[in-house]
């Protein structure tokens, strides 16, 4: 059996759907109460639920449980690793963070988890996922009103660019790796993904000027990019949780410093044609603008 955690999130949900479509023996692990069959109760904040949720699983797709302060995430992830080891899971596939994000504040929990997995008694595959294309798309969409009025897109990205990937592409890789890991476990043959770390970096990068060009296309008027300082960006983060604001500023800082462009990616080895970041962003912005009309 394959168990997929984090199915309430978009990535985990897409992985679950893909594995079910592939016909594998898969169940979901969700923080909400499960039905005992297709969905099991697996609450990362209640470690006592995890062993029962993972019982009988030979392959576990461990979708990272961020969206909290680091100490909370480490406690959650540590509980998952211990529970998987206790019930005899044979292969864990973990969704981590790509190497281009090494200096981001969110990297700490991912690298800590990778180290805990490496010490565990099961096979491990690490999928180091790129940042999602939805991040710059959301930034561009938020700039639509001002760009439409003034012809200026202002953002704290400096002159840097960030390599991003489609969430659906990353889910497709996870589905393939999990399905093949299951085949290998069942057949008793060589485990082709055991001990592997895949850098699933975006194959294209975008920056402020690219987002301004997308806005210009969608709005049908010239839009110029205007970099703004980080201190101004902080004012727009009021209302976010402290850790969310910190992670957001960290992302802007790393992009502005030119540290978020990938040098290489394993994504093309899994997908015939990874979706270009600019096309994804244009689709998202166009859909957002049309829905607001």
């Amino acid at each position: 059996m394959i168990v997929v955690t984090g199915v309430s999130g978009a990535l985990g949900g897409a992985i679950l759907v893909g594995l079910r479509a592939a016909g594998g023996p898969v169940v979901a692990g969700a923080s909400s109460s499960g039905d005992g069959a297709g969905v099991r109760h697996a609450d990362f904040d209640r470690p006592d639920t995890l062993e029962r949720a993972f019982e009988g699983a030979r392959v576990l797709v461990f979708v990272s449980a961020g969206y909290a302060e680091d100490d909370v995430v480490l406690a959650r992830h540590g509980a998952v690793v211990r529970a998987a080891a206790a019930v005899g899971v044979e292969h864990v596939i973990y969704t981590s963070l790509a190497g281009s994000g090494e200096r981001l504040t969110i990297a700490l929990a991912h690298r800590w988890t990778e180290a805990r997995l490496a010490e565990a008694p099961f096979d491990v595959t690490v999928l180091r996922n790129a940042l999602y294309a939805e991040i710059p798309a959301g930034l561009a969409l938020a700039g639509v009103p001002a760009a439409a009025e003034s012809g200026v897109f202002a953002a704290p990205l400096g002159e840097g660019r960030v390599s991003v990937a489609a969430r659906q592409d990353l889910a497709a890789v996870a589905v393939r790796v999990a399905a093949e890991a299951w085949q290998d476990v069942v057949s008793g043959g060589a485990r082709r993904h055991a001990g592997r770390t895949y850098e699933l970096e975006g194959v294209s990068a975008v920056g402020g000027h690219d987002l301004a060009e997308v806005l210009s296309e969608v709005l049908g008027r010239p839009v110029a990019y205007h970099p703004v300082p980080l201190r101004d960006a902080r004012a727009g983060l009021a209302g976010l949780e402290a850790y969310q604001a910190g992670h957001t500023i960290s992302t802007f800082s790393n992009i502005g410093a030119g540290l978020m462009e990938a040098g290489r990616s394993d994504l093309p080895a899994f997908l015939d044609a990874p979706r270009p970041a600019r096309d994804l962003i244009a689709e998202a912005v166009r859909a957002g603008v049309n829905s607001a009309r």
Side-chain angles (χ1 to χ4, degrees):
M1 178 198 315
I2 305 171
V3 172
V4 181
T5 70
V7 296
S8 59
L11 180 64
I15 295 170
L16 179 66
V17 169
L19 284 170
R20 284 180 170 165
V26 59
V27 299
S31 57
S32 57
S33 296
D35 59 16
V39 181
R40 294 180 175 183
H41 186 206
D43 188 340
F44 287 1
D45 291 320
R46 291 185 54 197
D48 56 296
T49 68
L50 299 178
E51 287 189 25
R52 186 171 181 183
F54 300 162
E55 234 171 51
R58 300 185 71 180
V59 174
L60 173 67
V61 181
F62 174 12
V63 178
S64 53
Y67 307 108
E69 297 286 0
D70 284 339
D71 55 347
V72 174
V73 178
L74 299 190
R76 291 172 176 171
H77 286 191
V80 171
V81 175
R82 289 191 295 273
V87 302
V89 171
E90 297 177 50
H91 195 142
V92 172
I93 298 156
Y94 174 62
T95 62
S96 190
L97 174 70
S100 61
E102 197 68 36
R103 298 170 186 82
L104 294 174
T105 50
I106 60 173
L108 183 152
H110 286 295
R111 299 300 179 255
W112 181 91
T113 304
E114 290 180 16
R116 301 293 79 73
L117 289 166
E119 298 167 349
F122 39 69
D123 287 331
V124 176
T125 304
V126 177
L127 305 180
R128 286 188 165 181
N129 288 346
L131 294 185
Y132 302 143
E134 286 92 338
I135 294 173
L139 197 60
L141 196 53
V144 165
E149 181 178 346
S150 67
V152 172
F153 168 64
L157 304 176
E159 296 299 323
R161 306 176 86 220
V162 56
S163 298
V164 293
R167 195 192 307 255
Q168 288 297 323
D169 283 352
L170 299 173
V173 174
V175 168
R176 175 176 165 183
V177 170
E180 291 178 351
W182 169 252
Q183 292 167 4
D184 294 344
V185 165
V186 171
S187 70
R191 301 190 180 182
R192 69 199 97 171
H193 299 296
R196 302 294 299 274
T197 295
Y198 297 114
E199 290 286 353
L200 304 179
E201 298 274 16
V203 296
S204 54
V206 294
H209 295 289
D210 301 288
L211 299 183
E213 288 176 6
V214 167
L215 288 170
S216 180
E217 292 171 11
V218 173
L219 297 174
R221 64 157 298 171
V223 176
Y225 168 57
H226 176 67
V228 299
L230 291 173
R231 66 173 179 272
D232 293 348
R234 286 185 185 276
L237 303 178
L240 293 181
E241 295 282 351
Y243 74 89
Q244 292 174 321
H247 291 333
T248 301
I249 289 296
S250 170
T251 302
F252 290 155
S253 297
N254 275 266
I255 295 172
L259 300 173
M260 294 295 293
E261 283 196 70
R264 56 170 290 274
S265 175
D266 293 318
L267 202 56
F270 288 95
L271 301 173
D272 291 335
R275 304 174 206 193
R278 203 171 179 284
D279 292 351
L280 291 164
I281 293 166
E283 288 173 15
V285 172
R286 190 171 289 109
V289 169
N290 290 337
S291 67
R293 286 174 177 165

